[in-house]
Amino acid sequence: MNNKKYILLQILFVFGIVLFSLMDIYLYKNGYFEEKKITLKYNESGPDVDYKVYLKENDFFDKKYLTKEDNKTFITSLIDYINIEYNYVMQFDTKVNANYKYYIVATLEANKNNSESNYWSKDYRITDEKSYELKNINEYVIHNNVDVDYNKYNGILGSFKKTLNLNGSSGVLKVYMVINSEVSGNGIETPIESKLLLVKLPLTEMTIDASVETLPSDNVKEISKVIDSNRVQIMKSIGYIYVGAVIVCIILLIYISNRKKNANRYESELKKILNTYDSIIVNVKKLPDLTGYKVIDVLNFNELLDAHGEVRMPINYYRDEYRSFFILLNDKTAWRFVMSRIRIERK
């Protein structure tokens, strides 16, 4: 490879590396490699709960039921059942598809007196599971009511205490709404599960105070997901190609540099031989025909010099693109030394 070609290749490789580097910096600064973050926000509000305490027939109350507006304290011996009406709203910040199921469950707990520690608890399914499928909505609403047989659970707790002689224990009935939903929107698919307390009722007491717990109105939650957009994926692929191209360019530069170095060594060694032994070397226009000769291939030029010292004949020199031939002829014997550019460049 001549110097002009070598220099031109070096310039092209360096230019390619610089160009790819500038392109990479530009794409990076302009956000082409940034991952995309998508979010789905939702807000649960409620449950807004209203309840009516239906009474057994008695001589004291004219009403069939009492509400929380009438009184929050109720006499247990007069309670027939409790009707709970509830409203729950789930809102999203974008259009979604939703499959949701819900049911009402009562949890009966037998606790130590004046303590949250419980001896025993058990869930009782009050309603069957109800399922709904909604498309392209921003919100869904659950509005329903359920009857709770207070005396049934009060009786279960009383039997538990009597059987195990736990007179020093208290009990509570907690009524929950359990919601399981699968929501998809804004590129996100996610399950959302909620267990919301509707009412909390003391058991085996002469009187009860019903309490209601609701979610705060600003109960906003967020689900996030980081994804690679098609553009990011393409840019990353280009980035990988760029890194590969730079590595290949560097390897090629090293390879060409080594070849150039070895090529220079070939020319240097050849020039040294020709200048030093010019008086015994004869340039020939074509490679001598060695048909009928006994050809002796020697490993280096010094061995050829030893043979020349014996026969005192000139050394024929011929060169092609990749090799230089030095041939010493005497009678029907030919001593031959071949100097190979390829062999030297591979060292």
mmCIF file of all heavy atoms in Angstrom, residues 59 73 80 118-119 154 162 166 223 233 274-275 282 285 314 327 339:
data_model
loop_
_atom_site.group_PDB
_atom_site.id
_atom_site.type_symbol
_atom_site.label_atom_id
_atom_site.label_comp_id
_atom_site.label_asym_id
_atom_site.label_seq_id
_atom_site.Cartn_x
_atom_site.Cartn_y
_atom_site.Cartn_z
ATOM 1 N N ASP A 59 -92.629 -1.196 71.966
ATOM 2 C CA ASP A 59 -93.600 -0.213 72.460
ATOM 3 C C ASP A 59 -92.991 1.165 72.658
ATOM 4 O O ASP A 59 -93.656 2.061 73.192
ATOM 5 C CB ASP A 59 -94.178 -0.693 73.802
ATOM 6 C CG ASP A 59 -94.953 -1.990 73.667
ATOM 7 O OD1 ASP A 59 -95.557 -2.193 72.588
ATOM 8 O OD2 ASP A 59 -94.927 -2.795 74.613
ATOM 9 N N THR A 73 -76.296 6.042 68.775
ATOM 10 C CA THR A 73 -76.287 4.975 69.761
ATOM 11 C C THR A 73 -77.600 4.218 69.677
ATOM 12 O O THR A 73 -78.672 4.814 69.720
ATOM 13 C CB THR A 73 -76.090 5.538 71.183
ATOM 14 O OG1 THR A 73 -74.872 6.276 71.234
ATOM 15 C CG2 THR A 73 -76.037 4.413 72.207
ATOM 16 N N ASP A 80 -83.239 -5.304 64.616
ATOM 17 C CA ASP A 80 -83.627 -6.435 63.773
ATOM 18 C C ASP A 80 -82.524 -6.687 62.736
ATOM 19 O O ASP A 80 -81.920 -7.748 62.698
ATOM 20 C CB ASP A 80 -84.956 -6.124 63.090
ATOM 21 C CG ASP A 80 -85.492 -7.321 62.333
ATOM 22 O OD1 ASP A 80 -84.932 -8.419 62.489
ATOM 23 O OD2 ASP A 80 -86.480 -7.164 61.580
ATOM 24 N N ASN A 118 -56.961 -9.811 68.987
ATOM 25 C CA ASN A 118 -58.165 -10.639 68.939
ATOM 26 C C ASN A 118 -57.831 -12.113 69.147
ATOM 27 O O ASN A 118 -56.784 -12.600 68.754
ATOM 28 C CB ASN A 118 -58.933 -10.430 67.626
ATOM 29 C CG ASN A 118 -58.114 -10.783 66.416
ATOM 30 O OD1 ASN A 118 -57.857 -11.940 66.136
ATOM 31 N ND2 ASN A 118 -57.694 -9.755 65.676
ATOM 32 N N TYR A 119 -58.797 -12.770 69.788
ATOM 33 C CA TYR A 119 -58.683 -14.214 69.989
ATOM 34 C C TYR A 119 -58.973 -14.961 68.695
ATOM 35 O O TYR A 119 -58.401 -16.018 68.415
ATOM 36 C CB TYR A 119 -59.686 -14.683 71.049
ATOM 37 C CG TYR A 119 -59.431 -14.150 72.441
ATOM 38 C CD1 TYR A 119 -60.305 -13.234 73.019
ATOM 39 C CD2 TYR A 119 -58.340 -14.580 73.181
ATOM 40 C CE1 TYR A 119 -60.094 -12.757 74.303
ATOM 41 C CE2 TYR A 119 -58.127 -14.116 74.482
ATOM 42 C CZ TYR A 119 -59.014 -13.200 75.029
ATOM 43 O OH TYR A 119 -58.801 -12.734 76.302
ATOM 44 N N ASN A 154 -74.081 -11.293 66.253
ATOM 45 C CA ASN A 154 -74.040 -11.101 67.701
ATOM 46 C C ASN A 154 -74.211 -12.445 68.409
ATOM 47 O O ASN A 154 -73.545 -12.731 69.407
ATOM 48 C CB ASN A 154 -75.141 -10.130 68.124
ATOM 49 C CG ASN A 154 -74.810 -9.398 69.411
ATOM 50 O OD1 ASN A 154 -73.651 -9.263 69.780
ATOM 51 N ND2 ASN A 154 -75.842 -8.937 70.108
ATOM 52 N N LYS A 162 -69.270 -17.956 75.258
ATOM 53 C CA LYS A 162 -69.826 -18.878 76.259
ATOM 54 C C LYS A 162 -69.117 -20.223 76.207
ATOM 55 O O LYS A 162 -68.784 -20.808 77.249
ATOM 56 C CB LYS A 162 -71.325 -19.051 76.004
ATOM 57 C CG LYS A 162 -72.019 -19.946 77.021
ATOM 58 C CD LYS A 162 -73.511 -20.021 76.741
ATOM 59 C CE LYS A 162 -74.206 -20.931 77.751
ATOM 60 N NZ LYS A 162 -75.674 -21.032 77.490
ATOM 61 N N LEU A 166 -65.002 -16.967 77.747
ATOM 62 C CA LEU A 166 -64.255 -15.723 77.549
ATOM 63 C C LEU A 166 -65.139 -14.529 77.877
ATOM 64 O O LEU A 166 -65.436 -13.676 77.045
ATOM 65 C CB LEU A 166 -63.757 -15.632 76.099
ATOM 66 C CG LEU A 166 -62.750 -16.695 75.670
ATOM 67 C CD1 LEU A 166 -62.483 -16.582 74.176
ATOM 68 C CD2 LEU A 166 -61.452 -16.563 76.451
ATOM 69 N N ILE A 223 -49.845 5.194 38.920
ATOM 70 C CA ILE A 223 -49.105 4.016 38.482
ATOM 71 C C ILE A 223 -48.240 4.448 37.306
ATOM 72 O O ILE A 223 -48.736 5.033 36.339
ATOM 73 C CB ILE A 223 -50.055 2.883 38.063
ATOM 74 C CG1 ILE A 223 -50.919 2.451 39.251
ATOM 75 C CG2 ILE A 223 -49.274 1.695 37.531
ATOM 76 C CD1 ILE A 223 -52.027 1.501 38.880
ATOM 77 N N GLN A 233 -36.022 2.906 20.636
ATOM 78 C CA GLN A 233 -35.455 1.621 20.233
ATOM 79 C C GLN A 233 -34.613 1.762 18.968
ATOM 80 O O GLN A 233 -33.520 1.181 18.848
ATOM 81 C CB GLN A 233 -36.582 0.604 20.019
ATOM 82 C CG GLN A 233 -37.291 0.225 21.300
ATOM 83 C CD GLN A 233 -38.476 -0.672 21.062
ATOM 84 O OE1 GLN A 233 -38.852 -0.949 19.928
ATOM 85 N NE2 GLN A 233 -39.096 -1.148 22.132
ATOM 86 N N LEU A 274 19.794 -4.677 -1.707
ATOM 87 C CA LEU A 274 20.159 -4.180 -3.038
ATOM 88 C C LEU A 274 21.320 -3.184 -2.959
ATOM 89 O O LEU A 274 22.212 -3.190 -3.830
ATOM 90 C CB LEU A 274 18.944 -3.541 -3.706
ATOM 91 C CG LEU A 274 17.779 -4.491 -4.033
ATOM 92 C CD1 LEU A 274 16.606 -3.716 -4.600
ATOM 93 C CD2 LEU A 274 18.233 -5.570 -5.027
ATOM 94 N N ASN A 275 21.300 -2.316 -1.957
ATOM 95 C CA ASN A 275 22.374 -1.316 -1.836
ATOM 96 C C ASN A 275 23.697 -1.949 -1.398
ATOM 97 O O ASN A 275 24.778 -1.580 -1.883
ATOM 98 C CB ASN A 275 21.972 -0.230 -0.845
ATOM 99 C CG ASN A 275 20.866 0.661 -1.374
ATOM 100 O OD1 ASN A 275 20.664 0.730 -2.593
ATOM 101 N ND2 ASN A 275 20.151 1.337 -0.494
ATOM 102 N N VAL A 282 22.235 -8.738 -10.288
ATOM 103 C CA VAL A 282 21.885 -8.338 -11.652
ATOM 104 C C VAL A 282 20.357 -8.295 -11.757
ATOM 105 O O VAL A 282 19.678 -9.273 -11.456
ATOM 106 C CB VAL A 282 22.451 -9.324 -12.690
ATOM 107 C CG1 VAL A 282 22.023 -8.929 -14.085
ATOM 108 C CG2 VAL A 282 23.971 -9.386 -12.593
ATOM 109 N N LYS A 285 14.646 -8.786 -16.429
ATOM 110 C CA LYS A 285 13.302 -8.344 -16.798
ATOM 111 C C LYS A 285 12.238 -9.397 -16.563
ATOM 112 O O LYS A 285 11.049 -9.076 -16.457
ATOM 113 C CB LYS A 285 13.283 -7.909 -18.257
ATOM 114 C CG LYS A 285 14.114 -6.650 -18.522
ATOM 115 C CD LYS A 285 13.985 -6.214 -19.978
ATOM 116 C CE LYS A 285 14.762 -4.936 -20.238
ATOM 117 N NZ LYS A 285 14.635 -4.492 -21.660
ATOM 118 N N PRO A 314 27.001 -14.114 -10.745
ATOM 119 C CA PRO A 314 26.098 -13.036 -10.296
ATOM 120 C C PRO A 314 24.738 -13.586 -9.822
ATOM 121 O O PRO A 314 24.301 -14.648 -10.259
ATOM 122 C CB PRO A 314 25.954 -12.161 -11.537
ATOM 123 C CG PRO A 314 26.214 -13.072 -12.678
ATOM 124 C CD PRO A 314 27.268 -14.039 -12.207
ATOM 125 N N ILE A 327 18.137 -15.346 -7.432
ATOM 126 C CA ILE A 327 18.461 -16.681 -7.960
ATOM 127 C C ILE A 327 19.918 -16.714 -8.422
ATOM 128 O O ILE A 327 20.361 -15.854 -9.214
ATOM 129 C CB ILE A 327 17.531 -17.054 -9.130
ATOM 130 C CG1 ILE A 327 16.064 -17.027 -8.658
ATOM 131 C CG2 ILE A 327 17.895 -18.429 -9.686
ATOM 132 C CD1 ILE A 327 15.051 -17.215 -9.765
ATOM 133 N N MET A 339 11.940 -13.509 -1.143
ATOM 134 C CA MET A 339 11.577 -12.576 -0.068
ATOM 135 C C MET A 339 10.110 -12.168 -0.264
ATOM 136 O O MET A 339 9.771 -11.516 -1.254
ATOM 137 C CB MET A 339 12.495 -11.358 -0.113
ATOM 138 C CG MET A 339 12.338 -10.401 1.032
ATOM 139 S SD MET A 339 13.588 -9.079 0.905
ATOM 140 C CE MET A 339 13.135 -8.088 2.303
#
